[in-house]
Amino acid sequence: MNDLPFWKSKTLAEMTVAEWESLCDGCGLCCLNKIEEWDSGDIYFTSVSCKLLDGESCRCSSYENRWDFVPDCVQLTKENVPDIAWLPPTCGYRLVNEGRDLYWWHPLVSGDPATVHAAGISARGRAINENEIDLDDLEDYVVDWPLTVGEEKDDEDA
């Protein structure tokens, strides 16, 4: 009998729908608006969230119907995760795809969905809703913290 948790014993393609959905840690970082430079293809995170992101829970406020409100919302799939370079380095989908383990604060490890916030990984308290700004000024909100969250913890563990 295999005693390993599913994310250590299965590939993304082998996961059930429930297992797949549980890989989301609820950080909300993928729901931050991004800017892509046309000439280089470089992608920059902003501190501006999708209008559907609940700033407290860091979950989509209309997950099942999100495309009705945000037609260009990117759905993570078992097929496209390897190709989405902007997934944060702490993303459970990215980690499992790369053969790495989930962090201690991930709800599947900790058993508590609040640990992602307590560990300072999520967008909680850091993002502004896109309805509150002029989207023409989006470049004024470029940040690097979505790509560096958790580094302090990694440095402490080293």
Side-chain angles (χ1 to χ4, degrees), residues 110-130:
S110 71
D112 182 354
T115 54
V116 68
H117 308 299
I121 305 303
S122 76
R124 181 187 281 174
R126 298 180 182 191
I128 184 169
N129 189 287
E130 68 186 5

Side-chain angles (χ1 to χ4, degrees), residues 31-47:
C31 298
L32 296 175
N33 282 275
K34 293 153 215 66
I35 298 172
E36 181 176 2
E37 279 190 14
W38 293 106
D39 56 341
S40 68
D42 291 342
I43 297 175
Y44 300 93
F45 275 86
T46 72
S47 59

Side-chain angles (χ1 to χ4, degrees), residues 48 128-141:
V48 178
I128 184 169
N129 189 287
E130 68 186 5
N131 287 336
E132 298 176 27
I133 71 156
D134 181 345
L135 288 176
D136 289 336
D137 297 331
L138 194 58
E139 62 274 353
D140 295 340
Y141 295 89

